[in-house]
Every structure is written in C-alpha cells, then in structure tokens.
Amino acid sequence: VNYNLVLTSSFSSYSEIVRAMTHVINQGMAMYWGTSRWSAMEIMEAYSVARQFNMIPPVCEQAEYHLFQREKVEVQLPELYHKIGVGAMTWSPLACGIISGKYGNGVPDSSRASLKCYQWLKEKIVSEEGRKQQIKLKDLSPIAGRLGCTLPQLAVAWCLRNEGVSSVLLGSSNPEQLIENLGAIQVLPKMTSHIISEIDNILGNKPYSKKDYRS
C-alpha cells in the first residue's frame, strides 16, 4: 500500500527531512510527501535542499483555509505554486462547523461546540468576532440560494475555486454531511468572478497579495 506523507516542522534539519522522505519514496512506502503548517520560507528551504542534492522535494502544503482564514493560502503560497509547483492541501473548509449555518442563533445543545472539550470553539462562536461572522454568513445565504446550493456547499466550492488548492480535506460526522459537502463539486462551475466578487464584498477580508498591490 502506498501512502502520501505530510510532515510538521518539528525536525531541526531540512536536509534530514528531505533525505528521509526521499528514502521512504524510493523504498516504495509512499508516492509523494508534503508539509503541514510550514512557512513559505521553510518550504522553499526544503525545495532548495532537494534540488541541490538531487532528492525529492515536497509537493504540497497542508494549510487551514476557509472564508475567514485566507492570508496564507492566498498571499504566501501562490508564489510557491507558480515558481515550484507546490499546491495547497487545505483543511477545515467549514471552520470547525462555524460556517455550517447551525450557529446562527447561538450554540445548539446537540452541536460540537456544546461539548466540554470544545469550550474553545463555543467561546469563539459567542465572541464579538464570532457574532460578526454569523451575520456575514447570513448575508451569504442568498448567494447560496441563487446558486441552488447550501451554505456549506458554497463554502467548500469557494475553497476549490482557488487555482493553488490541490484538494480540500472534508471532515464529516455522518454520511449525510459528507454527501452534502461533496455536492460542492456541482457548485464549482457556478463560481464566476462576479460571484466571487459578491462574496468578497460581504466578507470584507480579502488579503492583498503583491499581485493585487501592483495592479
């Protein structure tokens, strides 16, 4: 069985990491390797080491990406994508359920945020920033309605429309949620530049990359 490996940056030497991953791939234990929560500088360092010593570089970075978390994937990683082909394997497209729509009127007793071990999530939802996010999600609902999809499907499709995103990791607690989230594939062709502009205007959090600044 072949596996793809994703590493955190807990190792002290990029040379050791790249050498180890090259060995794993050459032994047939994995097909590719990637990084998780590495900075653009760290990824470039690993790539440079791989090229210098004729080893195998990382092919993707695993990063959090959703409507309310955009900076890294939209500003830091695009340069790596265009220069060395490193794609983004993004996670938490619904922000731990915050974007699901179920927290619009508080925290339901049956929700994840109501559990004791998720107190941090509850605090995030009921905070001032959390309430502002729920207002923005309500403003996005009409767009989802026009596209004939649910808010979670719109959110996942929004992630997928980014050219640097290789894949979106979905987290579902039941088959129904998984089926709903997979429906985002049907929404993706409807994500026109006009729709993206509408979403950006509502969110008001589009980060400015060097490309945006120069234009």
Side-chain angles (χ1 to χ4, degrees):
V1 178
N2 289 318
Y3 298 92
N4 298 331
L5 300 180
V6 178
L7 295 181
T8 60
S9 56
S10 57
F11 289 83
S12 58
S13 169
Y14 297 110
S15 178
E16 290 178 0
I17 298 173
V18 177
R19 191 180 303 276
M21 291 301 97
T22 298
H23 174 75
V24 167
I25 292 172
N26 287 339
Q27 292 298 309
M29 291 181 281
M31 297 178 67
Y32 311 98
W33 75 278
T35 58
S36 180
R37 296 186 175 185
W38 282 29
S39 68
M41 184 180 297
E42 288 173 325
I43 297 170
M44 183 56 76
E45 180 68 24
Y47 178 85
S48 298
V49 167
R51 285 290 174 251
Q52 182 180 356
F53 297 104
N54 194 30
M55 294 188 287
I56 301 173
V59 299
C60 68
E61 158 66 6
Q62 186 171 281
E64 182 179 4
Y65 185 50
H66 51 74
L67 294 171
F68 302 122
Q69 181 74 35
R70 306 177 59 173
E71 184 76 19
K72 182 174 184 177
V73 173
E74 295 186 14
V75 176
Q76 299 175 26
L77 295 184
E79 186 172 2
L80 293 181
Y81 170 75
H82 290 291
K83 282 187 175 181
I84 62 177
V86 171
M89 180 186 293
T90 64
W91 55 277
S92 197
L94 300 183
C96 294
I98 290 176
I99 301 175
S100 65
K102 60 185 166 187
Y103 297 116
N105 297 310
V107 179
D109 293 335
S110 59
S111 66
R112 180 192 307 178
S114 66
L115 301 176
K116 187 176 181 180
C117 58
Y118 281 96
Q119 182 64 29
W120 61 270
L121 180 58
K122 181 178 181 179
E123 291 175 356
K124 189 173 183 178
I125 293 169
V126 301
S127 68
E128 182 179 353
E129 180 62 26
R131 291 194 294 271
K132 289 179 181 178
Q133 289 178 347
Q134 290 303 316
I135 292 173
K136 291 179 180 180
L137 292 176
K138 288 181 179 178
D139 291 340
L140 289 175
S141 293
I143 297 179
R146 293 204 318 267
L147 298 182
C149 67
T150 64
L151 185 57
Q153 289 172 336
L154 177 67
V156 175
W158 179 88
C159 294
L160 286 169
R161 109 283 176 206
N162 188 317
E163 67 170 350
V165 172
S166 303
S167 59
V168 174
L169 302 179
L170 301 175
S172 304
S173 57
N174 56 60
E176 290 74 24
Q177 285 184 1
L178 178 59
I179 292 172
E180 178 185 359
N181 292 341
L182 290 175
I185 296 174
Q186 305 299 323
V187 184
L188 186 56
K190 303 176 184 178
M191 300 297 287
T192 63
S193 57
H194 177 70
I195 292 295
I196 296 301
S197 237
E198 278 192 83
I199 294 174
D200 281 339
N201 288 337
I202 291 172
L203 295 176
N205 65 352
K206 182 180 179 180
Y208 287 94
S209 66
K210 292 180 179 179
K211 182 178 180 181
D212 292 328
Y213 180 78
R214 289 171 182 172
S215 62

